[in-house]
Amino acid sequence: MNSTASTDELPSSTAPLAGVRVVEVSSFVAAPLCGMTLAALGADVIRVDPIGGAADYRRWPVTDGNESIYWAGLNKGKRSLAADFRSPEAQNLIRDLIIDAGVLVTNAAGRSWLDYDELAAIRPDLIHVQVLGRADGTGAVDYTVNAAAGFPQVTGAENVSTPVNHVLPAWDVSCGLYAALSVASAVYRREITGAGTRVVLPLEDVAFATVGNLGYIAEAQLGRPVREKVGNSVYGTYGADFATSDGARFMLVALTPRHFRDLTELTGTAEAVAALESALDVDFRDEGTRFEHRHVLNSLFGAWFSRHTADEVETALGGTSVLHERYRTFAELAADPRVTDNPMFHKLDQPRIGSYHAPSTPMSFDGRYPEVRPAPANGDDTAEVLTEHLGLTDDEIDALAASGTIRISQKEHA
């Protein structure tokens, strides 16, 4: 193992999904995140890619040597098999691996050799998870799905009329975790009943379900007022960002009456806020009322922040119940003790890229986190997988490699 061993690592033999084997045929975020999550939980995840890598193999961010840091992050702990997807012989090998493993996770559509009906006819207890763009099978990605989900129309500054996209691929992340939950649930069901499962998970439906679960669809259908952009405020409660005297910014949220009371006391505005309540005939113990009058409250509180440095503000807020955080860059976060001293992160020596802190899962099990293992290069484990699971001999593997059906990496030649 290339990652630094730690007493807080969960041994792979006792990980929750130890003994489960998964074949992953995927690209980009959702399906690879599913496979990475399953691998972190102990499953043996074999990522099958075209020779040279799928469309995401060189995706940004990359190193100076054009190695994808992104790809390494989403494929930790997997094994890699590389094959010529156009070759019928390679397709048969991949099909046999899926049948042997019993679990397939894929976002590749339109390939008969990955079709559920054909595979389940050979292995009836197959677990087949298909991630789609839309339920009708047409293509979609996170950023196009988000355009339909309504959020860009309520994101951004109050005086900006154009839609504002998110940067975080939230629907991909949610979809990947739903997919991992689907596999874990289907494995449990198979253990109990012996039945296989076909799971179809459209990315668009992940977004629409979330919009519905948060009440936004019902809000519109019930004729509530059209939601507008509120900048960095938090809809329906009190939340705002403030600048300090030295140019830093903090995000504050006061969800409860106690939070709000502490904020007024900290900023020396308790009397002014009480007078405002009286003048407006309102009660700021109600979070909706705090939201409705956020602009005048922001002016009252903002004066205090503008008179203090970031360090002074951080110290003062630390002595209150107010929910707060200083805005930080990725670089600042990378050096933060909440990363560098966090047992969820392990120092990983990632071949071709370098050494850095890489996360395990946010979940600990009995006080320990699953181990962190490097991501493979394209085809790093082709020979090993074919020997271990399909029983191919060295001569057979060499012949397949010579014909271009599979790729054996330099690692396996070593």
Side-chain angles (χ1 to χ4, degrees), residues 223-293:
R224 300 297 297 160
V226 175
R227 188 171 297 202
E228 300 177 347
K229 296 176 184 290
V230 295
N232 285 341
S233 296
V234 181
Y235 180 78
T237 192
Y238 185 74
D241 65 308
F242 296 99
T244 63
S245 62
D246 52 355
R249 296 194 78 89
F250 282 79
M251 181 65 197
L252 274 67
V253 180
L255 293 174
T256 69
R258 180 191 174 192
H259 295 157
F260 189 71
R261 183 180 66 250
D262 280 4
L263 180 57
T264 63
E265 291 175 356
L266 172 70
T267 56
T269 58
E271 290 186 7
V273 168
L276 183 62
E277 282 183 305
S278 178
L280 296 173
D281 191 23
V282 298
D283 184 350
F284 285 139
R285 287 176 297 181
D286 176 72
E287 62 178 338
T289 301
R290 296 194 293 272
F291 173 75
E292 290 175 343
H293 298 283

Side-chain angles (χ1 to χ4, degrees), residues 121-138:
I122 304 171
R123 179 160 181 172
D125 68 346
L126 175 71
I127 296 168
H128 186 289
V129 178
Q130 175 75 63
V131 174
L132 299 175
R134 297 188 179 94
D136 64 4
T138 57

Side-chain angles (χ1 to χ4, degrees), residues 127-202:
I127 296 168
H128 186 289
V129 178
Q130 175 75 63
V131 174
L132 299 175
R134 297 188 179 94
D136 64 4
T138 57
V141 294
D142 185 286
Y143 303 99
T144 60
V145 164
N146 193 54
F151 285 99
Q153 300 291 0
V154 297
T155 300
E158 294 183 25
N159 59 350
V160 174
S161 61
T162 55
V164 177
N165 288 338
H166 58 205
V167 177
L168 170 71
W171 308 125
D172 276 337
V173 171
S174 299
C175 186
L177 297 177
Y178 269 120
L181 176 63
S182 298
V183 171
S185 300
V187 167
Y188 176 76
R189 178 174 183 253
R190 185 168 66 184
E191 288 291 322
I192 300 299
T193 68
T197 305
R198 181 184 187 182
V199 177
V200 178
L201 181 60

Side-chain angles (χ1 to χ4, degrees), residues 25 50 85-86 91 106 108-116 118 130:
V25 183
F85 281 12
R86 295 167 297 182
Q91 294 170 9
T106 184
R111 300 181 189 273
S112 61
W113 41 281
L114 298 178
D115 180 72
Y116 170 77
E118 292 195 17
Q130 175 75 63

Side-chain angles (χ1 to χ4, degrees), residues 234-393:
V234 181
Y235 180 78
T237 192
Y238 185 74
D241 65 308
F242 296 99
T244 63
S245 62
D246 52 355
R249 296 194 78 89
F250 282 79
M251 181 65 197
L252 274 67
V253 180
L255 293 174
T256 69
R258 180 191 174 192
H259 295 157
F260 189 71
R261 183 180 66 250
D262 280 4
L263 180 57
T264 63
E265 291 175 356
L266 172 70
T267 56
T269 58
E271 290 186 7
V273 168
L276 183 62
E277 282 183 305
S278 178
L280 296 173
D281 191 23
V282 298
D283 184 350
F284 285 139
R285 287 176 297 181
D286 176 72
E287 62 178 338
T289 301
R290 296 194 293 272
F291 173 75
E292 290 175 343
H293 298 283
R294 62 192 181 279
H295 295 299
V296 65
L297 291 173
N298 291 351
S299 298
L300 288 174
F301 301 145
W304 181 85
F305 285 90
S306 68
R307 295 194 303 268
H308 294 81
T309 67
D311 288 344
E312 291 170 342
V313 168
E314 198 150 28
T315 299
L317 284 170
T320 74
S321 67
V322 180
L323 305 170
H324 66 279
E325 183 55 82
R326 180 176 178 172
Y327 284 91
R328 302 174 194 275
T329 65
F330 292 136
E332 288 172 325
L333 177 61
D336 194 305
R338 288 175 291 183
V339 169
T340 58
D341 296 342
N342 188 336
M344 178 183 71
F345 284 84
H346 299 273
K347 201 65 173 293
L348 181 69
D349 293 323
Q350 175 63 51
R352 308 170 307 280
I353 291 178
S355 178
Y356 53 89
H357 287 88
S360 177
T361 71
M363 304 168 286
S364 64
F365 296 84
D366 300 320
R368 293 184 291 180
Y369 291 89
E371 64 179 337
V372 180
R373 293 173 290 138
N378 180 247
D380 261 358
D381 309 287
T382 300
E384 176 184 83
V385 168
L386 294 177
T387 299
E388 181 178 335
H389 298 300
L390 299 187
L392 271 62
T393 66

